[in-house]
Amino acid sequence: MRKILTPSFVIFACFILGGMIFKSVAPIQCGTIYPNDSIFVLTGDERRIPFAMRKMREFPTADLYIIGAGAQGKIDIARPVMIESRSKSTYQNALAIREIAMARNLKRVVIITTEDHINRATYLIKNELPMVNVVACPATLTGMPPTKRLERWATEYIKYIATMFGIKES
């Protein structure tokens, strides 16, 4: 006699499959950056700002914006950097980026955040700026134990699902 798959098993299997797809579609390298681009760094992980500083050495004429609650302290760069420190969530980051992009009439923005966070951040920013080209530039989660990486990916996947259901402040 055949066993019928229980609904909870099917839901669990879909969740696991979705998580694998979520990770596999995340960009693993930075999109093309042009010398006159506007680069937005979302704070929240200690890897993001140093990664952005390395990018700024490659593209010294790009504009740099550091967005979020973690944007404090000294930034080691020989040019002006705009720091927005009011936003406290990825959705608020997206709103701050929208405000800056509209005020400066930007047609293209580069987003730097960690690889586990890039899908949701890009999704939220594209929703706020549908007419702007959003270029993803993920910082890798180097030097992190595999269990911590898995935990972070799972958390971001759950937040992404919530975002798809309209819960933006997650």
Side-chain angles (χ1 to χ4, degrees):
M1 186 157 62
R2 285 192 224 185
K3 252 194 161 187
I4 298 174
L5 296 176
T6 64
S8 59
F9 176 78
V10 171
I11 291 169
F12 178 72
C14 288
F15 179 79
I16 296 299
L17 179 62
M20 292 167 59
I21 293 169
F22 174 76
K23 184 170 184 334
S24 71
V25 299
I28 56 173
Q29 58 185 325
C30 198
T32 303
I33 299 177
Y34 298 121
N36 62 340
D37 269 336
S38 296
I39 299 174
F40 291 83
V41 184
L42 307 184
T43 61
D45 182 275
E46 68 274 0
R47 292 164 188 81
R48 297 174 188 174
I49 292 176
F51 179 81
M53 295 301 105
R54 290 191 297 277
K55 287 295 173 193
M56 291 308 293
R57 284 194 286 278
E58 295 175 44
F59 303 96
T61 58
D63 292 325
L64 180 63
Y65 303 86
I66 298 177
I67 307 295
Q72 298 174 18
K74 185 180 179 194
I75 305 299
D76 222 6
I77 193 165
R79 57 188 317 265
V81 175
M82 183 184 162
I83 297 177
E84 183 281 333
S85 59
R86 291 185 317 268
S87 57
K88 307 272 188 258
S89 69
T90 305
Y91 177 61
Q92 290 175 14
N93 292 164
L95 295 176
I97 292 169
R98 181 187 70 191
E99 185 179 316
I100 294 165
M102 291 175 69
R104 291 186 165 64
N105 198 29
L106 300 177
K107 302 295 181 219
R108 181 181 155 89
V109 297
V110 176
I111 305 303
I112 292 179
T113 187
T114 47
E115 61 185 332
D116 59 328
H117 187 241
I118 198 80
N119 286 344
R120 188 168 61 95
T122 302
Y123 177 83
L124 285 166
I125 294 163
K126 283 181 177 180
N127 274 341
E128 294 303 320
L129 291 166
M131 302 305 285
V132 172
N133 183 14
V134 178
V135 178
C137 188
T140 60
L141 296 172
T142 56
M144 183 178 286
T147 54
K148 182 66 175 167
R149 289 171 65 102
L150 179 61
E151 178 186 322
R152 283 182 57 145
W153 276 101
T155 300
E156 282 301 323
Y157 174 51
I158 291 166
K159 287 180 177 183
Y160 187 81
I161 291 170
T163 301
M164 300 302 268
F165 282 102
I167 303 169
K168 295 178 180 179
E169 287 284 355
S170 58

